[in-house]
Amino acid sequence: MTNVLRIDSSIKGPASVTHKLTDSILARLGGEVTERDTTTIPLIDGTWIGAAYTPAENRTPEQKATLALSDELIAEIKAADVLVIGMPIYNFGVTGPLKAWIDQICRVGETFRYTDNGPQGLAGPKRVIVAYASGGVPLGSAVDLASAYIKQVLAFIGITDVTFVAAEGVAVDESAAVARAEAQIEKLSA
């Protein structure tokens, strides 16, 4: 059975377009689903950085506690065959909650390592389907700062199979934007 990790990042929760699209994607894919709502993930800070860059065998109990959520999030990724990411566009980029998740999962020695040839991802290969929703920012346009960013972050941790399902123009005509995205979902292979 396929293990699917669902990542929701909209502050609107189940009322968001991306939440509805991820529901449709999951119905299309099937599989065993783990759900992660990023809206409760804290931002990283200096204490977190200190813990992350301390060798595991030298971490204090406090440092281990600091990294416990990060460890859990990384374990979810590693256990998944497919990631389904709900990515609404706020002010041309990813949401704050999605950025908090990204910062928690990008960890040296866990999801990437540095080599003489540059960083090497350790979390792939995986399939990713991103449910992209924007009020008026077209996917891949010059003002879309989110899609290239999420592809770069995922590639950095070793995940390069990324597909986007886009509901563009939600602020103009939400029903039409969602219908276009649903048509894209129908073409996804399970």
Side-chain angles (χ1 to χ4, degrees):
M1 178 173 286
T2 303
N3 290 317
V4 181
L5 174 60
R6 174 189 185 145
I7 306 293
D8 286 308
S9 67
S10 174
I11 60 174
K12 292 173 146 184
S16 73
V17 169
T18 56
H19 195 278
K20 294 170 188 169
L21 294 177
T22 56
D23 282 346
S24 293
I25 293 166
L26 293 171
R28 178 89 176 149
L29 296 179
E32 183 71 30
V33 179
T34 299
E35 297 189 16
R36 175 58 67 177
D37 179 351
T38 63
T39 60
T40 60
I41 294 176
L43 300 176
I44 63 171
D45 58 15
T47 301
W48 188 95
I49 292 289
Y53 280 89
T54 298
E57 64 275 7
N58 296 337
R59 289 185 188 132
T60 66
E62 293 80 15
Q63 288 176 316
K64 290 175 184 174
T66 296
L67 295 177
L69 175 60
S70 176
D71 290 339
E72 183 179 337
L73 298 173
I74 291 168
E76 290 173 352
I77 292 170
K78 289 182 177 181
D81 302 304
V82 179
L83 281 69
V84 177
I85 301 174
M87 190 175 79
I89 305 307
Y90 294 0
N91 301 313
F92 311 102
V94 300
T95 65
L98 186 56
K99 177 65 167 89
W101 177 79
I102 289 167
D103 288 344
Q104 292 278 351
I105 59 109
C106 288
R107 273 194 32 217
V108 68
E110 295 293 333
T111 55
F112 72 93
R113 68 176 166 218
Y114 293 112
T115 72
D116 291 339
N117 297 322
Q120 178 186 29
L122 303 174
K126 311 268 180 212
R127 178 183 183 196
V128 177
I129 302 168
V130 178
Y132 176 102
S134 71
V137 176
L139 176 69
S141 69
V143 294
D144 164 20
L145 306 177
S147 63
Y149 172 71
I150 196 71
K151 283 180 74 172
Q152 172 59 42
V153 166
L154 292 168
F156 179 67
I157 64 170
I159 302 171
T160 57
D161 181 1
V162 181
T163 301
F164 289 88
V165 169
E168 303 162 311
V170 171
V172 177
D173 187 342
E174 182 174 323
S175 296
V178 169
R180 288 188 299 271
E182 292 285 353
Q184 295 166 46
I185 292 168
E186 287 300 314
K187 295 177 183 173
L188 292 173
S189 61

